[in-house]
């Protein structure tokens, strides 16, 4: 028995040490209890946990009431106890949600246990590392980032690495979400130092964040770490890798990009064609064609035609045809299949190099393969023939061109004209002019000379004349009739012009074509030229890019093409002129801007090019309007890093977006910056800022800012108070709104009309109808145009007061019908509640059904009124039908409504239905916050204790504390049901919540403790009762004395009897006589202690009215 008592004493809820100090002294020692002689010094403590710790346990009871209740009675909390608390808290929070205040209390408990045990893992207890993990994840869920940092540093100090990977991953995710670049990088570095692995989702988010913030060195390190660690990539991760490769290629880090792709392929993934093209194009730009071939050889695939054609074009221009042909053979071995553009490039460059034979060989490949030839190879062939003096064959090429369905264009005819002029075949020139007329390329006047028109087309200042000079001959050539002819022109310039035309016709200059088409506003032809340019391996020049951007941004139909162009050539964006860049920014629709806007901003920030504030503001407005929250945060950070500030007229728009995105910190920073930048517009800035912040859900922050400004001596406009009132009313913080209202009335400030509409009903709801009427009268005078709304507000407010105002209802309804106004939620609720209160249920139910049919939810007040009438009329089934309809719609049931339904079922003897109804409410999450189950707890505590306990726990989880009567009921019922430990847990929780137990509760607990052999606990409970200023009952004293007598602990029994007599109770004769007989027997057995028992016995008898001498004589006889 003694060993069992010692085992229980470690977690005995009432084990403590008494001292003679008047102050409370807590100790975890389990030393024997020493009770002093009367008068007794008693301690008010029931356990040794510090009061702040108990308050934190009470705080988390809303999440895990049973667990919190259990540990309130413990002398100490061990690491294993903490693990149980954490696990149950985490489990409860998954259902109820993570609350900042509750997690903060959990953090205090965690720190107390950690300090108490000198760090987990260093004592006798072996602690599950999930303590750190659960605590860290809980802190992250409520944004307690600083505390997470402390937790992580503590783990580092204690050498505990288990669970830190998830915590640090979550911490990094929080920093990424909050656009805290340096802190996110710091967390990643710590994870690398400790060799921790983060989740793929976290890595992907961090990668994207680093790319968005243009931290390219970190992008390289992260991907390198992932690949070197052998981490696989899924489809989503491959897309991220594609983006990374593009970044590396744009930075010119081709070898690093090649390494990444090679490693990815080793991991079993096939790189996308986009990645391969990016790297191949970069090899082309660096003219490293050998590495290009070897790279695609490593990849085991052939390069794309875009890459090959670009490489061929560059090789021909830099290294000649032989190297180009060699390159073509090498890529053919990799599986590359040339297209018509590939051979066309070789045809053109062969003609350029004066090798028409090679040109015809390559051209024959186009014809023999059945490819669709375009005009550029034909033009090049004709130019090459003319250049080599083979003008006789040019007409054959033209005829084949026409036969193959390729229509000659102006460039083709210019080649013919220039070639024949160079060969002095002016008859062929006239023939070519006639061909142009037939082709509808030009129109020739009836008397217009074909040669003059040809010279005009070629922009030549020349005339062909007959040589009639009989002296020195001027003849240069002869016509078909043998007449000598000569050119009257500057022959050098003539030859230069025709040679230039032939040279420029050999290699198509797509950039010049694009610029020309844009000048002619022929955007369709320009777009086709862009597509053809990339197929032929050429790059877009800045001038052509500028011309395209300028032309496409003014045409709505071509904006998508402009978007694709910007995404393909982002490096050219900062080079656009300021005016054109502004046009580009303003031209995009919301759909296109969501993707292009952040790209433009990032490129501008990277290039450090000066950009106008209006352009940047337009860009940021588009991003805020179309982007996601994360994108907006990143772009906002980039723009503010560049010292950007919006114009004063745009400030309100930006504040709207910031509040919508919950970016309170950024909004306040913008406010401070705007005040500093516009010191002469402080009043306007304050008004705009406070209005947007209040309506955005940050009224408390706005109020703090106002107080700060007032302390600085700043004079605020009256509208500021209106903003605060509207904000507080929107956030349902009526008490704060009332403070502002009183302040306005004290300073005789008249609120605006829309504010009065809110203020008048609010004043009525707090029984200040006189103030409401005064404001109404003032509002009518100051805002006469809003008299209708003010009248409605006053009527609504009066109806909140109660009966006596229903005479106005008919008038209001008649006015609404006359004006053709439709009922809203407020009107319906007023009618439902009003008619139900007047017991006109037909009308009340009519409006209730009408409101429900419109998918409008009646207020709890209206539903209570209807249910109260139905229950009072004993129409239980109609009440249940109403409840089922609410369940089907997912509407919560208020405390009163649930009580009415349960009470109706209970009164009808349908107990199981009542329990099922309550269980259904919890299962379907139809219980509102601050639920009040006190009446039901008392009802169910008699015979259905488990249901009563469940209701008590639900109240705590929903943020309500049951009253003392409810606790008394469940404690007493637990005692009756022989659940003593449960009773003690509930009783102790009751005391910690500063609730006063009833005398009968103390009585039942003491009696049950004694019946279960826990006399010492019963005595301590009795002493605590006295210390609470209460007088124990006679039954309590008798129970403890009898229990001590049964345990043969006569000393304790006699002491308790002395206390009993001290409180004015007389013990029964049987107990007295038993103690006297037992003490006398004890005296005879030990003469050495005879003096002390005799003294005690004599005192006991004398206090009871007996003579010791007479008792002794009676005993002897």
């Amino acid at each position: 028995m003694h060993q069992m008592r010692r085992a229980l004493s470690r977690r005995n809820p009432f084990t403590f040490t008494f001292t003679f100090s008047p102050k409370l002294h807590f100790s975890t020692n389990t030393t024997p209890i020493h009770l002093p002689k009367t008068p007794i010094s008693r301690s008010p403590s029931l356990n040794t946990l510090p009061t702040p710790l108990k308050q934190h346990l009470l705080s988390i009871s809303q999440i895990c009431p049973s667990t919190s209740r259990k540990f309130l009675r413990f002398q100490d909390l061990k690491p294993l106890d903490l693990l149980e608390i954490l696990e149950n808290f985490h489990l409860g929070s998954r259902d109820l949600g993570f609350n900042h205040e509750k997690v903060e209390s959990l953090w205090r408990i965690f720190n107390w246990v950690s300090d108490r045990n000198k760090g987990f893992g260093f004592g006798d207890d072996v602690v599950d590392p999930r303590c750190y993990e659960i605590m860290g994840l809980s802190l992250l869920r409520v944004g307690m980032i600083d505390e997470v940092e402390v937790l992580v540093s503590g783990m580092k100090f204690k050498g505990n690495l288990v669970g830190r990977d998830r915590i640090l991953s979550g911490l990094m995710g929080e920093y990424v979400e909050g656009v805290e670049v340096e802190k996110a990088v710091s967390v990643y570095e710590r994870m690398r130092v400790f060799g921790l692995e983060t989740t793929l989702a976290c890595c992907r988010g961090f990668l994207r964040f680093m790319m968005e913030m243009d931290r390219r060195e970190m992008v390289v390190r992260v991907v390198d770490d992932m690949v070197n660690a052998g981490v696989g990539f899924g489809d989503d991760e491959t897309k991220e890798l594609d983006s990374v490769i593009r970044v590396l290629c744009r930075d010119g880090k081709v070898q690093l990009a090649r390494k990444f792709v090679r490693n990815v392929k080793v991991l079993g993934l096939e790189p996308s064609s986009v990645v391969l093209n990016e790297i191949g194009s970069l090899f082309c730009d660096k003219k490293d064609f050998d590495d290009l071939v070897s790279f695609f050889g490593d990849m085991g695939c052939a390069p794309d035609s875009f890459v090959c054609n670009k490489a061929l074009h560059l090789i021909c221009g830099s290294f000649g045809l032989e190297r180009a042909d060699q390159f073509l053979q090498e890529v053919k071995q990799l599986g590359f299949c040339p297209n018509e553009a590939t051979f066309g490039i070789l045809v053109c460059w062969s003609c350029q190099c004066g090798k028409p034979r090679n040109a015809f060989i390559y051209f024959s490949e186009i014809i023999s393969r059945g490819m669709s030839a375009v005009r550029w190879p034909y033009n090049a062939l004709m130019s090459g023939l003319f250049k080599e003096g083979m003008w006789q064959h040019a007409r054959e090429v033209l005829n084949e061109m026409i036969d193959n369905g390729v229509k000659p264009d102006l460039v083709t005819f210019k080649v013919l004209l220039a070639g024949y002029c160079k060969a002095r075949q002016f008859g062929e020139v006239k023939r070519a002019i006639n061909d142009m007329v037939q082709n509808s390329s030009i129109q020739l006047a009836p008397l217009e000379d074909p040669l003059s028109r040809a010279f005009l087309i070629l922009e030549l200042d020349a005339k062909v004349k007959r040589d009639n000079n009989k002296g020195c001959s001027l003849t240069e050539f002869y016509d078909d009739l043998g007449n000598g002819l000569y050119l009257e022109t500057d022959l050098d310039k003539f030859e230069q012009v025709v040679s230039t035309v032939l040279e420029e016709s050999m290699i198509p200059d797509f950039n010049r074509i694009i610029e020309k088409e844009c000048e002619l506003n022929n955007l369709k032809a320009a777009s086709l030229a862009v597509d053809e340019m990339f197929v032929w391996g050429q790059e877009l020049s800045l001038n052509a890019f500028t011309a395209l951007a300028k032309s496409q941004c003014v045409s709505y139909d071509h904006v998508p093409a402009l978007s694709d162009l910007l995404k393909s050539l982002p490096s050219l964006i900062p080079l656009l002129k300021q005016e054109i860049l502004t046009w580009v920014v303003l031209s995009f629709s919301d759909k296109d801007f969501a993707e292009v806007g952040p790209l433009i901003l990032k490129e501008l920030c990277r290039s450090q090019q000066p950009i106008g504030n209006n352009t940047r503001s337009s860009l940021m407005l588009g991003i805020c309007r179309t982007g996601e929250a994360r994108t907006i945060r990143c772009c906002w950070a980039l723009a503010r890093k560049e010292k950007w500030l919006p114009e004063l007229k745009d400030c309100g728009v930006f504040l709207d977006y910031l509040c919508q995105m919950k970016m309170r910190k950024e909004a306040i920073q913008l406010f401070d910056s705007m005040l500093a930048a516009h010191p002469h517009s402080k009043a306007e800035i304050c008004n705009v800022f406070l209005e947007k912040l209040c309506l955005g859900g940050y009224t408390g922050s706005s109020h703090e800012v106002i107080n700060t400004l007032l302390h600085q001596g700043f004079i605020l406009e009256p509208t500021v108070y209106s903003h605060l009132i509207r904000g507080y009313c929107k956030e349902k913080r009526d008490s704060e709104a009332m403070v502002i209202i009183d302040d306005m009335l004290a300073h005789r400030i008249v609120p605006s009309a829309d504010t009065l509409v809110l203020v008048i009903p609010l004043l009525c709801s707090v029984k200040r109808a006189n103030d409401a009427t005064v404001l109404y009268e003032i509002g009518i005078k100051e805002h006469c145009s809003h008299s209708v709304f003010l009248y409605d507000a006053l009527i609504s407010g009066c109806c909140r007061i109660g009966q006596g105002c229903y005479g106005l209802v008919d008038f209001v309804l008649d006015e609404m019908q006359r004006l053709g106004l439709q009922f809203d939620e407020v009107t319906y609720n007023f009618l439902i509640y009003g008619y139900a209160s007047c017991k006109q249920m037909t009308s009340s139910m009519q409006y209730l059904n009408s409101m429900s049919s419109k998918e409008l939810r009646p207020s709890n007040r209206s539903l209570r009124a209807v249910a109260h009438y139905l229950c009072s009329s004993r129409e239980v089934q109609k009440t249940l039908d109403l409840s089922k309809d609410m369940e089907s719609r997912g509407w919560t049931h208020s405390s009163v409504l649930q009580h009415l339904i349960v009470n109706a079922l209970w009164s009808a003897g349908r107990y199981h239905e009542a329990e099922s109804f309550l269980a259904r409410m919890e299962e379907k999450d139809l219980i509102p916050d601050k639920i009040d189950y006190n009446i039901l707890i008392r009802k169910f505590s008699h015979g259905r204790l488990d249901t009563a306990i469940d209701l008590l726990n639900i109240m705590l989880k929903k943020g309500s504390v049951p009253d003392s009567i409810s606790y008394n009921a469940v404690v007493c019922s637990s005692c009756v049901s022989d659940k003593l430990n449960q009773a003690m847990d509930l009783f102790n929780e009751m005391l910690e919540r500063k609730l006063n137990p009833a005398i009968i509760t103390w009585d039942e607990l003491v009696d049950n403790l004694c019946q279960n052999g826990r006399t010492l606990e019963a005595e301590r409970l009795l002493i605590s009762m006295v210390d609470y200023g209460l007088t124990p009952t006679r039954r309590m004293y008798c129970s403890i004395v009898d229990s001590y007598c049964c345990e043969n602990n006569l000393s304790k029994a006699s002491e308790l009897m002395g206390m009993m007599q001290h409180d004015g109770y007389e013990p029964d004769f049987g107990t007295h006589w038993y103690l006297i007989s037992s003490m006398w027997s004890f005296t005879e057995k030990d003469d050495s202690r005879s003096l002390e028992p005799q003294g005690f016995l004599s005192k006991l008898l004398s206090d009871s009215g007996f003579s010791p001498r007479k008792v002794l004589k009676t005993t002897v006889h």
Side-chain angles (χ1 to χ4, degrees), residues 1012-1064:
N1012 285 271
R1014 296 161 66 173
T1015 315
L1016 185 60
E1017 294 181 50
E1019 180 188 356
R1020 291 174 181 166
L1021 191 61
L1022 182 142
I1023 293 173
S1024 298
M1025 180 180 182
V1026 176
D1027 290 328
Y1028 274 95
L1030 302 174
T1031 302
T1033 64
R1034 186 177 186 279
R1035 180 193 177 198
M1036 295 170 65
Y1037 279 117
C1038 290
S1039 297
I1040 297 174
V1041 171
D1042 289 344
S1043 184
Y1044 273 133
C1045 289
C1046 292
E1047 297 174 3
N1048 203 27
N1049 193 339
L1050 304 181
S1051 176
K1052 282 291 184 181
S1054 61
E1055 288 184 14
L1056 262 296
M1057 187 169 288
M1059 293 172 58
M1060 179 179 178
Q1061 292 173 330
H1062 183 272
D1063 285 336

Side-chain angles (χ1 to χ4, degrees), residues 716-719 721-722 741 743-752 756 775 778:
L716 298 174
E717 296 183 355
T719 53
Y721 296 97
S722 298
I741 294 172
D743 195 18
M744 293 185 71
L745 294 177
H747 291 83
R748 297 183 178 181
I749 298 175
V750 179
S752 59
L756 283 173
L775 282 179
I778 295 174

Side-chain angles (χ1 to χ4, degrees), residues 258 262 265 291-301 334:
R258 179 179 183 177
R262 186 191 302 121
K265 189 172 179 64
D291 278 352
L292 172 63
V293 175
S294 65
F295 167 69
F296 281 98
D298 293 340
M299 294 296 103
C301 62
L334 296 176

Side-chain angles (χ1 to χ4, degrees), residues 123-277:
D124 296 332
D125 294 285
V126 179
V127 178
D128 194 312
R130 284 179 296 171
C131 284
Y132 284 99
E133 184 177 357
I134 296 174
M135 188 70 252
L137 296 178
S138 299
L139 291 170
L140 287 171
R141 291 293 295 270
V142 296
M144 297 176 65
I145 307 302
D146 295 337
E147 287 75 6
V148 178
E149 290 282 9
V150 173
L151 180 72
V152 172
S153 63
M155 294 173 70
K156 175 183 177 182
F157 176 79
K158 298 172 179 62
N160 188 356
L161 296 177
V162 180
R164 197 190 304 182
D165 52 351
R166 290 188 63 190
I167 298 175
L168 286 176
S169 294
L171 183 60
M172 185 165 63
E174 289 292 329
Y175 285 141
V176 168
E177 189 66 26
V179 196
E180 299 280 355
V181 183
E182 299 304 328
K183 291 182 178 180
V185 172
S186 173
V187 173
Y188 183 78
E189 295 293 351
R190 276 183 278 174
M191 296 188 73
R192 293 187 69 196
V193 169
F194 292 113
L196 300 175
E197 293 184 0
T198 183
T199 61
L200 283 178
C202 185
C203 268
R204 185 166 66 244
F206 184 65
L207 261 178
R208 188 187 305 115
F209 179 54
M210 291 295 102
M211 293 176 64
E212 289 171 342
M213 301 308 296
D214 206 28
R215 295 292 295 268
R216 298 187 176 182
E217 72 285 353
M218 283 304 302
V219 170
V220 174
R221 293 179 63 183
V222 174
V223 177
D224 193 32
D225 289 342
M226 293 175 67
V227 174
N228 290 337
V231 179
F233 289 87
D235 293 338
D236 294 339
E237 288 78 15
T238 302
K239 294 178 182 178
E240 297 296 334
L241 183 63
D242 291 352
S243 301
V244 172
I245 296 300
R246 292 193 196 98
V247 171
L248 295 176
C249 291
R250 289 168 186 170
D251 275 359
K253 298 178 181 179
V254 63
Q255 294 300 334
L256 189 56
R258 179 179 183 177
K259 173 186 175 183
F260 286 160
V261 174
R262 186 191 302 121
N263 289 345
V264 168
K265 189 172 179 64
V266 170
L267 293 173
L269 286 175
E270 291 297 329
S272 67
S273 60
V274 177
V275 167
L276 298 180
N277 288 338

